Amino acid sequence: MTPVPLPVVLPSPLPLPAPPSLSHLQVPEREFSLSLSHPTLPAGRAVIEAVDFGEDPHNLQIERVGSSDAPISFSIIGPGARTSKTVDLQAGTYRLYCSLGDHDALGMHATLTVR
């Protein structure tokens, strides 16, 4: 008599942990205003996209209020262009602004709250 092979039962695979979620923030820039698609974001990784809807070149700087860390700097972009970065944001208040010429003084700034 030929032995009957027993079925092989493999343990079910463990579920993979969910990847960390990414928040998204768009920052439209115009002469001379800067707005945010969301006034608040959760702490953690975020994709921040600066879009120049104006007629002049702009850049974007992001500084955590009360921190001595260097600002997160985005390159200068021209009209119709966009640039983005994935960054890690800690809880706190952030100041976003265009550092070109007197753009900040003319109103190109906004405040972001990270919780």
Side-chain angles (χ1 to χ4, degrees), residues 31-51:
E31 290 79 36
F32 287 97
S33 68
L34 186 146
S35 58
L36 307 177
S37 61
H38 304 284
T40 61
L41 288 178
R45 293 176 51 82
V47 175
I48 300 179
E49 178 186 43
V51 184

Side-chain angles (χ1 to χ4, degrees), residues 21-23 41-47 87-91 114-115:
S21 62
L22 284 175
S23 298
L41 288 178
R45 293 176 51 82
V47 175
V87 299
D88 288 310
L89 299 174
Q90 298 176 7
V114 176
R115 297 184 177 156

Side-chain angles (χ1 to χ4, degrees), residues 8-90:
V8 176
V9 177
L10 297 174
S12 58
L14 296 175
L16 295 174
S21 62
L22 284 175
S23 298
H24 295 270
L25 177 72
Q26 188 176 68
V27 184
E29 299 177 297
R30 295 177 176 82
E31 290 79 36
F32 287 97
S33 68
L34 186 146
S35 58
L36 307 177
S37 61
H38 304 284
T40 61
L41 288 178
R45 293 176 51 82
V47 175
I48 300 179
E49 178 186 43
V51 184
D52 187 344
F53 287 107
E55 296 179 10
D56 298 331
H58 299 294
N59 72 357
L60 180 63
Q61 303 291 313
I62 302 174
E63 292 180 355
R64 186 166 179 236
V65 175
S67 173
S68 60
D69 293 341
I72 299 167
S73 298
F74 288 69
S75 59
I76 297 171
I77 56 174
R82 63 185 62 219
T83 184
S84 66
K85 287 188 178 194
T86 301
V87 299
D88 288 310
L89 299 174
Q90 298 176 7

